[in-house]
Structures are given as C-alpha cells and as structure tokens.
Coordinates of all heavy atoms in Angstrom, one line a residue:
F1 N 0.8 -1.2 0.0 CA 0.0 0.0 0.0 C 0.9 1.3 0.0 O 0.6 2.2 -0.8 CB -0.9 0.0 1.2 CG -1.7 1.3 1.4 CD1 -2.8 1.6 0.6 CD2 -1.3 2.2 2.4 CE1 -3.5 2.8 0.7 CE2 -2.0 3.4 2.5 CZ -3.1 3.7 1.7
A2 N 1.9 1.3 0.9 CA 2.8 2.4 0.9 C 3.5 2.6 -0.4 O 3.6 3.8 -0.9 CB 3.8 2.3 2.1
V3 N 4.0 1.6 -1.0 CA 4.6 1.7 -2.3 C 3.6 2.2 -3.4 O 4.0 3.0 -4.2 CB 5.3 0.4 -2.7 CG1 5.8 0.4 -4.1 CG2 6.4 0.0 -1.7
S4 N 2.4 1.7 -3.3 CA 1.4 2.2 -4.2 C 1.1 3.7 -4.1 O 0.9 4.3 -5.1 CB 0.1 1.4 -4.0 OG 0.3 0.0 -4.3
V5 N 1.1 4.1 -2.9 CA 1.0 5.6 -2.7 C 2.1 6.3 -3.3 O 2.0 7.3 -4.0 CB 0.9 5.9 -1.2 CG1 0.9 7.4 -1.0 CG2 -0.4 5.4 -0.6
C6 N 3.4 5.8 -3.2 CA 4.5 6.4 -3.8 C 4.5 6.3 -5.3 O 4.9 7.3 -6.0 CB 5.8 5.7 -3.3 SG 6.1 5.9 -1.6
K7 N 4.0 5.2 -5.9 CA 3.8 5.2 -7.3 C 2.8 6.2 -7.8 O 3.0 6.9 -8.8 CB 3.3 3.8 -7.7 CG 4.3 2.7 -7.6 CD 5.6 2.9 -8.4 CE 5.4 2.6 -9.8 NZ 6.6 2.7 -10.6
G8 N 1.7 6.4 -7.0 CA 0.7 7.4 -7.4 C 1.3 8.8 -7.3 O 1.0 9.7 -8.1
L9 N 2.2 9.0 -6.3 CA 2.9 10.3 -6.2 C 3.7 10.6 -7.5 O 3.8 11.7 -7.9 CB 3.8 10.3 -5.0 CG 3.2 10.4 -3.6 CD1 4.3 10.2 -2.6 CD2 2.6 11.7 -3.4
S10 N 4.4 9.6 -8.0 CA 5.3 9.8 -9.1 C 4.6 9.9 -10.4 O 5.2 10.4 -11.4 CB 6.3 8.7 -9.1 OG 5.7 7.4 -9.5
V11 N 3.4 9.4 -10.5 CA 2.7 9.3 -11.9 C 2.0 10.6 -12.2 O 1.7 10.8 -13.4 CB 1.8 8.1 -11.9 CG1 0.5 8.3 -11.2 CG2 1.5 7.7 -13.4
G12 N 1.7 11.4 -11.2 CA 1.0 12.6 -11.5 C -0.5 12.4 -11.5 O -1.1 12.5 -10.5
R13 N -1.1 12.1 -12.7 CA -2.5 11.8 -12.8 C -2.7 10.3 -13.0 O -2.3 9.7 -14.0 CB -3.1 12.6 -14.0 CG -4.6 12.3 -14.2 CD -5.1 13.4 -15.1 NE -6.4 12.9 -15.7 CZ -7.5 12.8 -15.1 NH1 -7.6 13.0 -13.8 NH2 -8.6 12.4 -15.8
A14 N -3.3 9.7 -12.0 CA -3.5 8.2 -12.0 C -4.8 7.9 -12.8 O -5.8 8.6 -12.7 CB -3.7 7.7 -10.6
R15 N -4.6 6.9 -13.7 CA -5.7 6.4 -14.4 C -6.1 5.0 -13.9 O -5.3 4.5 -13.1 CB -5.3 6.3 -15.9 CG -5.0 7.7 -16.6 CD -4.8 7.6 -18.0 NE -3.7 6.6 -18.4 CZ -2.4 7.0 -18.5 NH1 -2.1 8.2 -18.3 NH2 -1.5 6.1 -18.8
A16 N -7.2 4.5 -14.3 CA -7.6 3.2 -13.8 C -6.6 2.1 -14.1 O -6.4 1.2 -13.4 CB -9.0 2.8 -14.4
G17 N -5.9 2.3 -15.3 CA -4.9 1.3 -15.6 C -3.7 1.3 -14.7 O -3.2 0.2 -14.4
H18 N -3.3 2.5 -14.1 CA -2.3 2.5 -13.1 C -2.7 1.8 -11.9 O -2.0 1.0 -11.3 CB -2.0 4.0 -12.7 CG -1.4 4.7 -13.8 ND1 -1.9 5.9 -14.3 CD2 -0.3 4.5 -14.6 CE1 -1.1 6.4 -15.3 NE2 -0.2 5.6 -15.5
C19 N -3.9 2.0 -11.4 CA -4.5 1.4 -10.2 C -4.6 -0.1 -10.4 O -4.2 -0.9 -9.5 CB -5.8 2.0 -9.9 SG -5.8 3.7 -9.5
L20 N -5.1 -0.5 -11.6 CA -5.2 -1.9 -11.9 C -3.8 -2.6 -11.9 O -3.6 -3.7 -11.4 CB -5.9 -2.1 -13.3 CG -6.1 -3.6 -13.7 CD1 -7.0 -4.3 -12.8 CD2 -6.7 -3.6 -15.1
T21 N -2.9 -2.0 -12.6 CA -1.5 -2.6 -12.6 C -0.9 -2.8 -11.3 O -0.4 -3.8 -10.9 CB -0.6 -1.7 -13.5 OG1 -1.1 -1.6 -14.8 CG2 0.8 -2.2 -13.6
A22 N -1.0 -1.7 -10.4 CA -0.5 -1.9 -9.0 C -1.2 -3.0 -8.3 O -0.6 -3.8 -7.6 CB -0.6 -0.5 -8.3
G23 N -2.5 -3.0 -8.4 CA -3.3 -4.0 -7.7 C -3.0 -5.4 -8.2 O -2.8 -6.3 -7.4
V24 N -2.8 -5.6 -9.5 CA -2.5 -6.9 -10.0 C -1.1 -7.4 -9.6 O -0.9 -8.5 -9.1 CB -2.6 -7.0 -11.5 CG1 -2.0 -8.2 -12.1 CG2 -4.1 -6.9 -11.9
Y25 N -0.1 -6.5 -9.7 CA 1.3 -6.9 -9.3 C 1.4 -7.1 -7.8 O 1.8 -8.2 -7.4 CB 2.3 -5.8 -9.7 CG 2.9 -6.0 -11.1 CD1 2.3 -5.3 -12.2 CD2 4.0 -6.8 -11.3 CE1 2.8 -5.5 -13.5 CE2 4.5 -7.0 -12.6 CZ 3.9 -6.3 -13.6 OH 4.5 -6.5 -14.9
F26 N 1.0 -6.2 -7.0 CA 1.1 -6.3 -5.6 C 0.2 -7.4 -5.0 O 0.6 -8.2 -4.2 CB 0.9 -5.0 -4.9 CG 2.0 -4.0 -5.2 CD1 1.7 -2.8 -5.7 CD2 3.3 -4.3 -5.1 CE1 2.6 -1.8 -6.0 CE2 4.3 -3.4 -5.4 CZ 4.0 -2.1 -5.9
G27 N -1.1 -7.4 -5.5 CA -2.0 -8.4 -5.0 C -1.6 -9.8 -5.5 O -1.7 -10.8 -4.7
G28 N -1.1 -9.9 -6.7 CA -0.7 -11.2 -7.3 C 0.5 -11.8 -6.5 O 0.5 -12.9 -6.1
F29 N 1.5 -10.9 -6.2 CA 2.6 -11.4 -5.5 C 2.3 -11.7 -4.0 O 2.8 -12.6 -3.5 CB 3.8 -10.4 -5.6 CG 4.7 -10.7 -6.8 CD1 4.4 -10.2 -8.0 CD2 5.8 -11.6 -6.7 CE1 5.1 -10.5 -9.2 CE2 6.6 -11.9 -7.8 CZ 6.2 -11.3 -9.0
Q30 N 1.4 -10.9 -3.4 CA 1.0 -11.2 -2.1 C 0.2 -12.5 -2.0 O 0.1 -13.1 -0.9 CB 0.2 -10.0 -1.5 CG 1.0 -8.8 -1.2 CD 2.0 -8.9 0.0 OE1 2.0 -9.9 0.6 NE2 2.7 -7.9 0.2
M31 N -0.4 -12.9 -3.1 CA -1.1 -14.1 -3.2 C -0.1 -15.3 -3.5 O -0.2 -16.4 -2.8 CB -2.2 -14.1 -4.2 CG -3.0 -15.3 -4.3 SD -4.4 -15.1 -5.5 CE -3.5 -15.1 -7.0
L32 N 0.8 -15.1 -4.4 CA 1.7 -16.2 -4.8 C 2.8 -16.5 -3.8 O 3.1 -17.7 -3.6 CB 2.3 -15.9 -6.1 CG 1.4 -15.9 -7.3 CD1 2.2 -15.4 -8.6 CD2 0.8 -17.2 -7.6
M33 N 3.3 -15.5 -3.1 CA 4.4 -15.8 -2.2 C 4.0 -16.6 -1.0 O 4.7 -17.5 -0.6 CB 5.0 -14.4 -1.7 CG 5.8 -13.7 -2.8 SD 7.2 -14.7 -3.4 CE 8.5 -13.6 -2.8
P34 N 2.8 -16.4 -0.3 CA 2.4 -17.3 0.8 C 2.2 -18.7 0.3 O 2.4 -19.7 0.9 CB 1.2 -16.7 1.4 CG 0.9 -15.5 0.7 CD 1.9 -15.3 -0.4
L35 N 1.6 -18.8 -1.0 CA 1.4 -20.1 -1.5 C 2.8 -20.8 -1.8 O 2.9 -22.0 -1.4 CB 0.6 -20.0 -2.9 CG 0.3 -21.3 -3.6 CD1 -0.5 -22.2 -2.7 CD2 -0.4 -21.0 -4.9
A36 N 3.7 -20.1 -2.3 CA 5.1 -20.7 -2.5 C 5.7 -21.1 -1.1 O 6.3 -22.2 -1.0 CB 6.0 -19.7 -3.2
G37 N 5.5 -20.2 -0.1 CA 6.0 -20.5 1.2 C 5.4 -21.7 1.8 O 6.0 -22.6 2.4
Y38 N 4.1 -21.8 1.6 CA 3.4 -23.0 2.1 C 3.9 -24.3 1.4 O 4.1 -25.3 2.1 CB 1.9 -22.8 1.8 CG 1.0 -23.9 2.2 CD1 0.5 -24.0 3.5 CD2 0.6 -24.9 1.4 CE1 -0.3 -25.0 4.0 CE2 -0.2 -26.0 1.8 CZ -0.7 -26.0 3.1 OH -1.5 -27.0 3.5
L39 N 4.1 -24.2 0.1 CA 4.6 -25.4 -0.6 C 6.0 -25.8 -0.2 O 6.4 -26.9 -0.2 CB 4.4 -25.2 -2.1 CG 3.0 -25.0 -2.6 CD1 3.0 -24.6 -4.1 CD2 2.2 -26.3 -2.3
L40 N 6.8 -24.8 0.0 CA 8.2 -25.0 0.4 C 8.3 -25.5 1.9 O 9.2 -26.3 2.2 CB 9.1 -23.8 0.3 CG 9.3 -23.3 -1.1 CD1 10.0 -22.0 -1.1 CD2 10.1 -24.3 -1.9
G41 N 7.4 -25.1 2.7 CA 7.3 -25.5 4.1 C 8.6 -25.1 4.8 O 9.3 -24.1 4.5
V42 N 8.9 -25.9 5.8 CA 9.9 -25.6 6.7 C 11.3 -25.9 6.1 O 12.3 -25.4 6.6 CB 9.7 -26.3 8.1 CG1 10.0 -27.8 7.9 CG2 10.5 -25.7 9.2
R43 N 11.4 -26.6 5.1 CA 12.7 -27.0 4.5 C 13.6 -25.9 4.2 O 14.8 -26.0 4.5 CB 12.4 -27.9 3.2 CG 13.7 -28.4 2.7 CD 13.3 -29.4 1.6 NE 14.6 -29.9 1.0 CZ 14.7 -30.6 -0.1 NH1 13.6 -30.8 -0.8 NH2 15.8 -31.0 -0.5
F44 N 13.1 -24.8 3.7 CA 14.0 -23.7 3.3 C 13.8 -22.5 4.1 O 14.2 -21.4 3.8 CB 13.7 -23.3 1.8 CG 14.1 -24.4 0.9 CD1 13.1 -25.1 0.2 CD2 15.4 -24.8 0.7 CE1 13.4 -26.2 -0.7 CE2 15.8 -25.8 -0.2 CZ 14.8 -26.5 -0.9

C-alpha cells in the first residue's frame, strides 16, 4: 500500500490502468508468495 501511494505520487494523474496494474502486481505477489512458502514448508 505504501509503495502504491509512492507510485501514485510519481505518476501525476492516476488512471484506472495505473491502479489496476499496481493491484495486479502487488495483489498477485502477495497471493503467490504465501502459496510458495506454504509449498516449500519448513525445509527452506
């Protein structure tokens, strides 16, 4: 969220595409990383 605010600061005028891109990248990675961690388990 904090990085998204910073991205919004740097872009000037935010369009829906900017918001969608940030949501997909950050939301996607926040979804995939715990899944990867779950699959890797305690081993690593």
Side-chain angles (χ1 to χ4, degrees):
F1 172 76
V3 172
S4 295
V5 171
C6 293
K7 292 299 283 183
L9 287 170
S10 69
V11 77
R13 180 165 158 69
R15 295 185 305 270
H18 294 125
C19 298
L20 179 64
T21 300
V24 166
Y25 270 95
F26 295 126
F29 271 84
Q30 289 290 357
M31 183 174 69
L32 291 175
M33 292 296 249
L35 180 60
Y38 180 84
L39 295 174
L40 291 172
V42 73
R43 185 172 181 192
F44 297 108

